[in-house]
Amino acid sequence: MAGLGSDPWWKKTLYLTGGALLAAAAYLLHELLVIRKQQEIDSKDAIILHQFARPNNGVPSLSPFCLKMETYLRMADLPYQNYFGGKLSAQGKMPWIEYNHEKVSGTEFIIDFLEEKLGVNLNKNLGPHERAISRAVTKMVEEHFYWTLAYCQWVDNLNETRKMLSLSGGGPFSNLLRWVVCHITKGIVKREMHGHGIGRFSEEEIYMLMEKDMRSLAGLLGDKKYIMGPKLSTLDATVFGHLAQAMWTLPGTRPERLIKGELINLAMYCERIRRKFWPEWHYDDDNTIYESEESCEDSKTHTPLLDFSSYSRTETFEDEGAENSFSRTPDTDFTGHSLFDSDVDLDDYTDHEQCK
């Protein structure tokens, strides 16, 4: 047996057999997981948002584009229904939507479609010059910054990403299936990055490019409330969907340290949007969520994200016009403003604290 073990053909046979068995097991497990009663989806006068399953760390999505799309729907106050079936669009894209039995994929085309069909427009306050800037920044984020995030998520930080990945119904085989899915995704990401061109650089060079993009976003945001000024635009959904990955899905990595350290205005921006448009999203493992003092000791576990079968922001949020009433919480100043709002006068806040 020792002779067989040292024989090259024996090793090759063993590797091929093991690989084939693993692939077959993964395929059978996948088929067992996806065999389910097909749900009848009626998209008449309803937006059905198809996206990846929620991860198990409390974040809405590990996909910047899925998070962008769902955040946009909330910003535009468009009721929608999530469908986590895992089926890609005809173009192989995720997310995609159905509306009145029409199917649209690609976040840019989805937004154009909704603007045409439903008359929504988050960019109505932008002039031609601002719209041009917005599109340029969108392309920087989606066509460049995205790939550096993908590298960090699915190549450099794969073990942590694997822990967050949610696969329903896997039972005792879920860890194996999660491992297989993650390594397949890693191979796809590396191949696509190579085709894009950015994957031909070294790890250090990729992170250098990421840092340049993040610093550009921080410089563009400055002390404004939103990227293009005091009012929301479609660009905010795009930027938030990507920066949220650095904030909440890449623990201990360079982008997380950068956004929560030197580029703190980006972290405050992410918090501002999370609190405003995701009331059910609580990141308990982070001290930027201010719960009651009694809950602090038990705040080291992730709260599962609630799924609305049919979501409407107007039914979820309190009236934003109630300017004369506010509840004083640890993340509000003496005027009732959130400390994550960029329009808070910090000098006035400091003077108030010194007088207490």
Side-chain angles (χ1 to χ4, degrees), residues 181-199:
V181 169
C182 283
H183 281 78
I184 290 175
T185 304
K186 175 182 177 180
I188 293 173
V189 168
K190 291 180 71 173
R191 184 175 68 249
E192 293 187 349
M193 287 183 67
H194 187 81
H196 177 280
I198 196 171

Side-chain angles (χ1 to χ4, degrees), residues 75 95 112 149 159 167 218 225 252 270 279 281 295 301 345:
M75 288 177 172
D112 289 344
L149 285 172
N159 288 334
L167 297 173
K225 192 168 187 176
C270 288
W281 174 4
S295 66
T301 58
D345 191 333

Side-chain angles (χ1 to χ4, degrees), residues 237-250:
T238 302
V239 173
F240 175 75
H242 288 73
L243 287 180
Q245 308 303 318
M247 274 285 289
W248 294 295
T249 73
L250 298 172

Side-chain angles (χ1 to χ4, degrees), residues 312-327:
S312 175
R313 178 170 168 261
T314 51
E315 296 173 356
T316 308
F317 288 86
E318 297 179 358
D319 184 8
E320 295 180 356
E323 298 178 353
N324 295 326
S325 63
F326 63 87
S327 59

